[in-house]
Amino acid sequence: PLFCLTIQDLVMPGSHDSASVTISNWAPFSAVGLCQNVSVNEQLQRGARYLDLRVGGNKKSTLVDDTFICHGFLKGASFPDIIEEVHEFLRYNPGEFVILEVIYQKHEMSPEQQLRALQLLSSTFDQKVTHDDLNSWFKLSDLTLGQLKKSEKNIIVLVNDRMGQFSLNGTQYDSDAVAREFGCHHHNFMKNKWHNTANAHTLLESNESFLKRTCNNYDKFLNSQFVMTPQPPGGVCDVLALLVGAKSLRPVSLARELYGKDVLEAFVRDHAEDRWNIVLLDFLDLCPQLIRFLIGLNSPKHLKIEQASVTPKDEESTLIPGKQERSQSSGLLVPISDRTIDVTKTIQKLKRRDCCLYLLDFKRDLEISMDEGTLRLKAQFDDEEPLDLQIQFDRDTEYLLCDS
């Protein structure tokens, strides 16, 4: 059952620079700093369970209301406003669990602001994982969703070194003190790697290497960063490529390249049996099907493919009276048409984690010669009602069958 799944084996979509959507479009170079199109609350509604918030402030101020979201030198919304968005989601979805990482970046805060920002996090999330929890039951190596649900904890807050180390009025705060007093824990809970590339295939290869190196780390969250990083021009050729539009410094352009079905979607599907944990993405609104697939990989329900066949579109097919064939899977005799091709065994091989079917290119995936046609699929999730599906497809069709 789902509640027996450990949090280490849970596949969680995450959003990179989650609140960068609040950076004004009128700000110089804002297109380079924008990494999301929708609000933090909507990202959570769409399935994100890891949030990456970059925060800065004004060293001349002592007020938490003067802290704000930032990406590099670009400024976004009020930090307290974004925290309230997360709080609102959890208030209406108390059974969900969110990993919130707060990174103090540029725009120096005063020590008073740092203290008040930590106090804000502590007071807002009353169901957060505490220091005492970490010293008792909250052990990543064997923590299950059932234990989380029973504890009624719904968020863990992580902070970076800079956020967790400061001095105020003779009191020295370090990561241990911040964890004990505010329930904000050092981000060494997270294992990740910034791949720093604008090349999609280099990014995929680097992530594959990262997973192979870290798959046995059961005491940390694993954060696979599928984030394309704009690179400054390295010479005349790069400058010319930028001028004619062959290259871009806009993260949204790089994300669209990455989210092609033959790139990231194919990579994640073909590596679905690997030990994914957090899958970090830009522009969650541009890859809804991929997010559904990632969430669907957590399903405890088994998908049984009983029979699958395709019929081409170019000519009408008719049932041949009295003509039947034995299904490759069930062994049952089923009616066939004059142009029907049985693809049951091929479809069965395309199942992932025994719970998802994700078709990205019908012609290639089903090993057929036709570009357009109809897939008839008889399937069932455990003891649920059997499904008898007819899916019209062409060269651009994608299809996902999962319990999410």
Side-chain angles (χ1 to χ4, degrees):
L2 183 62
F3 289 141
C4 293
L5 190 68
T6 68
I7 198 167
Q8 280 283 294
D9 292 323
L10 187 67
V11 183
M12 293 177 279
S15 73
H16 170 242
D17 255 313
S18 308
S20 61
V21 64
T22 64
I23 295 170
S24 171
N25 290 331
W26 296 102
F29 307 106
S30 61
V32 179
L34 184 69
C35 298
Q36 301 295 335
N37 284 329
V38 297
S39 70
V40 167
N41 189 287
E42 185 170 342
Q43 291 169 41
L44 291 165
Q45 298 288 352
R46 287 171 178 263
R49 290 298 177 268
Y50 165 83
L51 297 175
D52 160 28
L53 298 184
R54 315 292 176 91
V55 62
N58 182 349
K59 63 181 179 182
K60 295 181 180 179
S61 173
T62 62
L63 304 176
V64 72
D65 286 343
D66 288 333
T67 57
F68 48 80
I69 295 300
C70 62
H71 185 185
F73 63 86
L74 295 167
K75 296 182 182 180
S78 159
F79 178 63
D81 287 350
I82 299 301
I83 294 303
E84 181 52 34
E85 277 194 60
V86 182
H87 183 228
E88 180 184 12
F89 172 81
L90 290 174
R91 185 165 63 245
Y92 288 104
N93 301 275
E96 298 296 330
F97 184 75
V98 172
I99 303 167
L100 174 64
E101 185 169 15
V102 179
I103 300 172
Y104 174 14
Q105 216 172 31
K106 297 182 183 291
H107 304 285
E108 187 174 353
M109 288 190 276
S110 67
E112 290 85 358
Q113 276 189 325
Q114 279 187 256
L115 177 65
R116 285 170 173 76
L118 292 166
Q119 289 172 336
L120 173 71
L121 291 165
S122 179
S123 62
T124 300
F125 302 117
D126 52 354
Q127 296 299 108
K128 63 186 172 299
V129 174
T130 68
H131 182 70
D132 289 340
D133 294 331
L134 297 185
N135 289 329
S136 53
W137 61 272
F138 193 94
K139 304 297 182 185
L140 284 182
S141 57
D142 56 9
L143 177 65
T144 66
L145 289 180
Q147 289 174 297
L148 270 180
K149 185 174 178 62
K150 184 178 180 180
S151 73
E152 298 185 346
K153 303 289 182 168
N154 59 16
I155 190 168
I156 183 168
V157 181
L158 308 179
V159 295
N160 67 337
D161 287 324
R162 193 178 182 199
M163 189 70 181
Q165 295 183 2
F166 61 98
S167 179
L168 179 63
N169 298 329
T171 301
Q172 182 68 41
Y173 291 90
D174 59 17
S175 57
D176 287 337
V178 166
R180 285 194 306 269
E181 188 168 340
F182 307 108
C184 298
H185 311 286
H186 193 272
H187 68 165
N188 61 7
F189 260 91
M190 188 83 59
K191 189 77 173 176
N192 58 23
K193 178 184 177 182
W194 177 41
H195 304 283
N196 192 22
T197 180
N199 182 284
H201 294 287
T202 300
L203 179 66
L204 300 184
E205 290 173 0
S206 186
N207 266 286
E208 186 174 10
S209 298
F210 169 76
L211 268 185
K212 288 179 180 177
R213 291 196 310 271
T214 60
C215 64
N216 293 321
N217 287 322
Y218 284 93
D219 58 344
K220 296 181 186 295
F221 294 112
L222 299 184
N223 190 345
S224 297
Q225 296 194 16
F226 289 100
V227 173
M228 300 266 276
T229 306
Q231 301 294 313
V236 174
C237 291
D238 285 345
V239 172
L240 291 174
L242 288 170
L243 289 174
V244 300
K247 286 189 175 182
S248 177
L249 295 178
R250 300 169 68 234
V252 68
S253 299
L254 298 175
R256 286 197 176 102
E257 175 189 344
L258 181 65
Y259 295 159
K261 64 181 181 181
D262 291 329
V263 190
L264 183 58
E265 286 182 314
F267 177 84
V268 172
R269 185 195 66 175
D270 295 343
H271 290 78
E273 307 300 326
D274 292 350
R275 191 179 151 237
W276 300 106
N277 192 203
I278 298 168
V279 178
L280 191 68
L281 301 164
D282 281 334
F283 302 101
L284 268 62
D285 59 305
L286 299 184
C287 54
Q289 193 90 309
L290 175 61
I291 291 173
R292 276 194 62 222
F293 175 65
L294 291 171
I295 296 170
L297 291 175
N298 298 311
S299 175
K301 296 180 181 179
H302 300 289
L303 174 61
K304 181 180 180 181
I305 305 294
E306 296 180 346
Q307 199 270 334
S309 61
V310 292
T311 306
K313 180 183 178 182
D314 55 349
E315 297 179 13
E316 288 192 8
S317 299
T318 57
L319 290 179
I320 304 175
K323 184 69 173 178
Q324 294 178 314
E325 69 176 0
R326 195 167 300 279
S327 167
Q328 295 177 4
S329 58
S330 66
L332 300 175
L333 289 173
V334 295
I336 63 171
S337 76
D338 55 350
R339 299 294 303 278
T340 297
I341 301 172
D342 191 323
V343 292
T344 306
K345 288 185 177 179
T346 305
I347 286 273
Q348 288 171 340
K349 292 177 183 178
L350 289 169
K351 280 195 303 180
R352 294 296 181 261
R353 297 197 181 187
D354 203 32
C355 64
C356 288
L357 175 67
Y358 197 6
L359 301 177
L360 298 172
D361 183 318
F362 276 66
K363 182 176 181 178
R364 182 183 60 201
D365 291 343
L366 301 182
E367 301 173 8
I368 54 178
S369 59
M370 65 189 77
D371 292 317
E372 298 178 84
T374 301
L375 169 66
R376 183 169 183 182
L377 184 63
K378 293 185 177 183
Q380 185 175 16
F381 286 102
D382 286 342
D383 296 327
E384 294 183 1
E385 286 292 315
L387 303 170
D388 191 348
L389 306 167
Q390 293 194 46
I391 304 138
Q392 307 290 329
F393 67 87
D394 58 26
R395 293 180 180 181
D396 299 319
T397 304
E398 295 183 25
Y399 181 75
L400 174 62
L401 179 60
C402 65
D403 182 53
S404 66

